[in-house]
Amino acid sequence: MADDTRPLASLSLTHVYYDPEDPLSFLCAWLALLPQALCVVYVTLIWSTREVEVALMFLGQLGCEAANFALKRLIKEERPRRIHGKGYGMPSSHAQFVFFWALFLVLFLFIRHKPPHDPARDARYRSRALSRAERVVGSVIAFTAAAAVGWSRVYLGYHTVRQVLVGCAAGVCCAVAWFAVTSYIRDQGFLDWALRIPLVEWFRFRDLLLEEDLCQAGWEKWEEKRIQARSSKARKVK
């Protein structure tokens, strides 16, 4: 093993070049990790909630990445000279990723987020409709984060302004198209049909994001369990 001189490769999934003397450059390096962080959030939410709405959004996000992969190899425009050799730069995959996420989230908040009023459902578990102010604040935060990521790619020298803007436009187009597709499959009943497929049922996927407050429902069930435990303990003492 000591005589092994084979060159080693670097797994550069999170490898970001930045200027260690520049605080803004350091901040941009962290902003460049937002897509990876969002993927962790996606997978965590899907695994913990099994909500099909989150799974569909993540599926669209992966499709957006596939579109970026194809566009880069179709256009074949190089990155700025300073980062030359790190793959094609048109369009920016970071900008496309975060603008898909931001716009799809906003479309969900303003179009799809309408919790149904079902008197038969336990009011304690019912999902609360977000106010317009809350939706606006969430939208501003999402787009501010997306714009910051796009700006960071130019600041770090990974992309030109044009490459970032095209990435933003591609992400917006993918988000609008995927939102239209998911709305159609909902309206036509295809989603309900898919949720009845045995394999999907085996994974326990459900569609309650707009109907049930997941945090409150879990807390209420936990409270009921503690009350029952205290009652049982009191009966044993008597």
Side-chain angles (χ1 to χ4, degrees):
M1 292 296 292
D3 297 329
D4 191 348
T5 59
R6 289 176 297 177
L8 299 177
S10 171
L11 182 61
S12 57
L13 182 64
T14 60
H15 190 70
V16 183
Y17 289 106
Y18 72 96
D19 182 357
E21 304 298 326
D22 182 358
L24 272 181
S25 184
F26 181 68
L27 173 63
C28 289
W30 280 102
L31 286 172
L33 301 180
L34 183 59
Q36 288 91 335
L38 287 174
C39 285
V40 173
V41 172
Y42 274 127
V43 174
T44 301
L45 287 175
I46 292 171
W47 177 257
S48 60
T49 68
R50 309 303 172 95
E51 281 293 338
V52 71
E53 185 70 43
V54 183
L56 285 173
M57 185 175 177
F58 187 45
L59 184 62
Q61 193 81 73
L62 296 178
C64 183
E65 282 297 284
N68 180 266
F69 182 88
L71 286 172
K72 280 188 173 181
R73 280 146 189 81
L74 179 65
I75 301 173
K76 296 183 178 179
E77 182 174 301
E78 300 292 349
R79 294 179 184 271
R81 188 175 300 277
R82 189 179 183 189
I83 308 294
H84 188 76
K86 292 288 292 182
Y88 297 121
M90 173 66 86
S92 165
S93 59
H94 278 71
Q96 186 168 333
F97 186 105
V98 292
F99 269 83
F100 173 94
W101 164 75
L103 183 56
F104 196 95
L105 180 62
V106 169
L107 290 172
F108 171 80
L109 289 176
F110 282 92
I111 298 177
R112 191 170 291 163
H113 184 71
K114 298 175 181 177
H117 179 67
D118 183 5
R121 178 173 292 276
D122 194 330
R124 295 174 301 170
Y125 302 159
R126 194 176 300 153
S127 179
R128 179 181 68 86
L130 296 177
S131 68
R132 179 169 293 274
E134 289 173 320
R135 300 181 197 194
V136 169
V137 170
S139 301
V140 170
I141 291 174
F143 273 111
T144 300
V149 171
W151 166 77
S152 73
R153 303 308 287 168
V154 177
Y155 192 87
L156 290 173
Y158 277 88
H159 293 284
T160 64
V161 172
R162 190 166 68 100
Q163 290 171 352
V164 167
L165 291 178
V166 173
C168 295
V172 165
C173 290
C174 288
V176 171
W178 186 242
F179 190 82
V181 169
T182 54
S183 297
Y184 177 80
I185 65 174
R186 278 183 176 280
D187 295 341
Q188 298 300 314
F190 294 131
L191 183 61
D192 290 336
W193 170 82
L195 289 173
R196 292 195 296 269
I197 296 174
L199 181 61
V200 178
E201 290 184 338
W202 187 82
F203 277 105
R204 299 293 190 268
F205 276 106
R206 62 186 205 162
D207 189 24
L208 291 176
L209 187 62
L210 296 179
E211 301 178 23
E212 183 177 277
D213 186 326
L214 302 180
C215 180
Q216 186 63 22
W219 174 255
E220 292 289 349
K221 291 172 184 176
W222 168 243
E223 281 289 272
E224 290 175 359
K225 181 178 179 180
R226 292 201 297 184
I227 291 172
Q228 291 175 358
R230 286 197 294 266
S231 299
S232 178
K233 185 176 181 179
R235 286 196 298 270
K236 288 181 179 180
V237 171
K238 292 179 180 181

Short mmCIF file of all heavy atoms in Angstrom, two decimals, residues 40-63:
data_model
loop_
_atom_site.label_atom_id
_atom_site.label_comp_id
_atom_site.label_asym_id
_atom_site.label_seq_id
_atom_site.Cartn_x
_atom_site.Cartn_y
_atom_site.Cartn_z
N VAL A 40 -31.96 17.60 1.86
CA VAL A 40 -32.05 16.93 3.16
C VAL A 40 -33.42 17.18 3.78
O VAL A 40 -34.05 16.26 4.34
CB VAL A 40 -30.93 17.43 4.10
CG1 VAL A 40 -31.13 16.87 5.50
CG2 VAL A 40 -29.57 17.02 3.56
N VAL A 41 -33.92 18.41 3.67
CA VAL A 41 -35.24 18.75 4.21
C VAL A 41 -36.32 17.96 3.48
O VAL A 41 -37.24 17.40 4.11
CB VAL A 41 -35.50 20.27 4.08
CG1 VAL A 41 -36.94 20.58 4.46
CG2 VAL A 41 -34.54 21.04 4.97
N TYR A 42 -36.25 17.90 2.16
CA TYR A 42 -37.21 17.13 1.38
C TYR A 42 -37.28 15.68 1.87
O TYR A 42 -38.35 15.15 2.17
CB TYR A 42 -36.80 17.12 -0.10
CG TYR A 42 -37.27 18.27 -0.93
CD1 TYR A 42 -36.37 19.02 -1.68
CD2 TYR A 42 -38.62 18.60 -1.01
CE1 TYR A 42 -36.78 20.07 -2.48
CE2 TYR A 42 -39.05 19.65 -1.80
CZ TYR A 42 -38.12 20.38 -2.54
OH TYR A 42 -38.55 21.41 -3.33
N VAL A 43 -36.12 15.03 1.90
CA VAL A 43 -36.08 13.61 2.26
C VAL A 43 -36.56 13.39 3.69
O VAL A 43 -37.30 12.44 3.98
CB VAL A 43 -34.65 13.05 2.08
CG1 VAL A 43 -34.56 11.62 2.60
CG2 VAL A 43 -34.25 13.10 0.60
N THR A 44 -36.18 14.29 4.60
CA THR A 44 -36.61 14.17 6.00
C THR A 44 -38.12 14.28 6.12
O THR A 44 -38.77 13.49 6.82
CB THR A 44 -35.93 15.24 6.85
OG1 THR A 44 -34.50 15.11 6.75
CG2 THR A 44 -36.35 15.11 8.30
N LEU A 45 -38.71 15.27 5.43
CA LEU A 45 -40.15 15.46 5.49
C LEU A 45 -40.90 14.29 4.86
O LEU A 45 -41.93 13.84 5.38
CB LEU A 45 -40.54 16.77 4.80
CG LEU A 45 -40.20 18.06 5.55
CD1 LEU A 45 -40.53 19.27 4.69
CD2 LEU A 45 -40.95 18.13 6.88
N ILE A 46 -40.39 13.81 3.74
CA ILE A 46 -41.06 12.68 3.07
C ILE A 46 -41.03 11.45 3.97
O ILE A 46 -42.03 10.75 4.13
CB ILE A 46 -40.38 12.39 1.72
CG1 ILE A 46 -40.66 13.54 0.74
CG2 ILE A 46 -40.90 11.08 1.12
CD1 ILE A 46 -39.84 13.44 -0.54
N TRP A 47 -39.87 11.20 4.58
CA TRP A 47 -39.75 10.00 5.42
C TRP A 47 -40.58 10.11 6.70
O TRP A 47 -41.19 9.14 7.14
CB TRP A 47 -38.28 9.79 5.79
CG TRP A 47 -38.07 8.62 6.70
CD1 TRP A 47 -37.83 8.64 8.04
CD2 TRP A 47 -38.11 7.24 6.34
NE1 TRP A 47 -37.71 7.37 8.54
CE2 TRP A 47 -37.88 6.49 7.51
CE3 TRP A 47 -38.31 6.57 5.13
CZ2 TRP A 47 -37.85 5.11 7.51
CZ3 TRP A 47 -38.28 5.17 5.14
CH2 TRP A 47 -38.05 4.46 6.31
N SER A 48 -40.63 11.31 7.28
CA SER A 48 -41.31 11.46 8.57
C SER A 48 -42.82 11.65 8.44
O SER A 48 -43.57 11.25 9.34
CB SER A 48 -40.71 12.65 9.34
OG SER A 48 -40.87 13.85 8.61
N THR A 49 -43.29 12.27 7.35
CA THR A 49 -44.71 12.55 7.21
C THR A 49 -45.42 11.67 6.19
O THR A 49 -46.62 11.48 6.26
CB THR A 49 -44.95 14.02 6.81
OG1 THR A 49 -44.48 14.23 5.47
CG2 THR A 49 -44.22 14.96 7.75
N ARG A 50 -44.66 11.18 5.19
CA ARG A 50 -45.21 10.40 4.05
C ARG A 50 -46.27 11.20 3.29
O ARG A 50 -47.18 10.63 2.70
CB ARG A 50 -45.79 9.06 4.53
CG ARG A 50 -44.86 8.24 5.38
CD ARG A 50 -43.54 7.93 4.67
NE ARG A 50 -42.58 7.31 5.54
CZ ARG A 50 -42.39 6.00 5.65
NH1 ARG A 50 -43.12 5.19 4.91
NH2 ARG A 50 -41.50 5.52 6.48
N GLU A 51 -46.15 12.52 3.31
CA GLU A 51 -47.11 13.37 2.61
C GLU A 51 -46.80 13.39 1.11
O GLU A 51 -45.70 13.72 0.70
CB GLU A 51 -47.08 14.79 3.16
CG GLU A 51 -47.84 14.97 4.45
CD GLU A 51 -49.34 14.81 4.28
OE1 GLU A 51 -49.84 14.95 3.15
OE2 GLU A 51 -50.00 14.51 5.30
N VAL A 52 -47.80 13.07 0.30
CA VAL A 52 -47.59 12.98 -1.13
C VAL A 52 -47.33 14.35 -1.74
O VAL A 52 -46.64 14.46 -2.77
CB VAL A 52 -48.80 12.30 -1.80
CG1 VAL A 52 -50.02 13.21 -1.78
CG2 VAL A 52 -48.47 11.88 -3.23
N GLU A 53 -47.84 15.42 -1.14
CA GLU A 53 -47.59 16.78 -1.66
C GLU A 53 -46.10 17.09 -1.63
O GLU A 53 -45.55 17.65 -2.58
CB GLU A 53 -48.36 17.80 -0.83
CG GLU A 53 -48.25 19.22 -1.36
CD GLU A 53 -49.00 19.42 -2.66
OE1 GLU A 53 -50.13 18.92 -2.78
OE2 GLU A 53 -48.43 20.07 -3.56
N VAL A 54 -45.43 16.73 -0.54
CA VAL A 54 -43.99 16.96 -0.44
C VAL A 54 -43.24 16.07 -1.43
O VAL A 54 -42.29 16.51 -2.08
CB VAL A 54 -43.50 16.69 1.00
CG1 VAL A 54 -42.01 16.99 1.13
CG2 VAL A 54 -44.29 17.51 2.00
N ALA A 55 -43.68 14.82 -1.57
CA ALA A 55 -43.05 13.90 -2.50
C ALA A 55 -43.18 14.40 -3.94
O ALA A 55 -42.23 14.32 -4.73
CB ALA A 55 -43.65 12.51 -2.36
N LEU A 56 -44.34 14.94 -4.29
CA LEU A 56 -44.54 15.47 -5.64
C LEU A 56 -43.64 16.68 -5.89
O LEU A 56 -43.07 16.83 -6.98
CB LEU A 56 -46.00 15.85 -5.84
CG LEU A 56 -46.99 14.70 -6.03
CD1 LEU A 56 -48.42 15.23 -6.04
CD2 LEU A 56 -46.69 13.94 -7.32
N MET A 57 -43.51 17.54 -4.90
CA MET A 57 -42.64 18.71 -5.06
C MET A 57 -41.20 18.27 -5.26
O MET A 57 -40.48 18.82 -6.11
CB MET A 57 -42.76 19.61 -3.83
CG MET A 57 -42.00 20.93 -3.95
SD MET A 57 -42.31 22.01 -2.53
CE MET A 57 -41.22 23.39 -2.92
N PHE A 58 -40.76 17.29 -4.51
CA PHE A 58 -39.39 16.79 -4.64
C PHE A 58 -39.19 16.12 -6.00
O PHE A 58 -38.13 16.26 -6.62
CB PHE A 58 -39.07 15.82 -3.51
CG PHE A 58 -37.64 15.37 -3.48
CD1 PHE A 58 -36.61 16.28 -3.63
CD2 PHE A 58 -37.32 14.04 -3.26
CE1 PHE A 58 -35.27 15.89 -3.58
CE2 PHE A 58 -36.00 13.64 -3.22
CZ PHE A 58 -34.97 14.55 -3.38
N LEU A 59 -40.21 15.41 -6.46
CA LEU A 59 -40.13 14.78 -7.78
C LEU A 59 -39.96 15.85 -8.86
O LEU A 59 -39.15 15.69 -9.79
CB LEU A 59 -41.38 13.95 -8.04
CG LEU A 59 -41.41 13.15 -9.34
CD1 LEU A 59 -40.29 12.13 -9.36
CD2 LEU A 59 -42.76 12.43 -9.49
N GLY A 60 -40.71 16.94 -8.74
CA GLY A 60 -40.55 18.04 -9.68
C GLY A 60 -39.18 18.68 -9.58
O GLY A 60 -38.59 19.09 -10.60
N GLN A 61 -38.65 18.77 -8.36
CA GLN A 61 -37.31 19.32 -8.17
C GLN A 61 -36.26 18.47 -8.88
O GLN A 61 -35.34 19.00 -9.52
CB GLN A 61 -37.01 19.37 -6.68
CG GLN A 61 -35.80 20.20 -6.30
CD GLN A 61 -36.08 21.68 -6.24
OE1 GLN A 61 -36.72 22.16 -5.32
NE2 GLN A 61 -35.56 22.42 -7.21
N LEU A 62 -36.41 17.15 -8.80
CA LEU A 62 -35.49 16.26 -9.50
C LEU A 62 -35.63 16.40 -11.00
O LEU A 62 -34.64 16.35 -11.74
CB LEU A 62 -35.74 14.81 -9.06
CG LEU A 62 -35.46 14.49 -7.59
CD1 LEU A 62 -35.79 13.03 -7.29
CD2 LEU A 62 -34.00 14.78 -7.24
N GLY A 63 -36.86 16.57 -11.47
CA GLY A 63 -37.08 16.79 -12.90
C GLY A 63 -36.43 18.08 -13.36
O GLY A 63 -35.89 18.16 -14.48
#
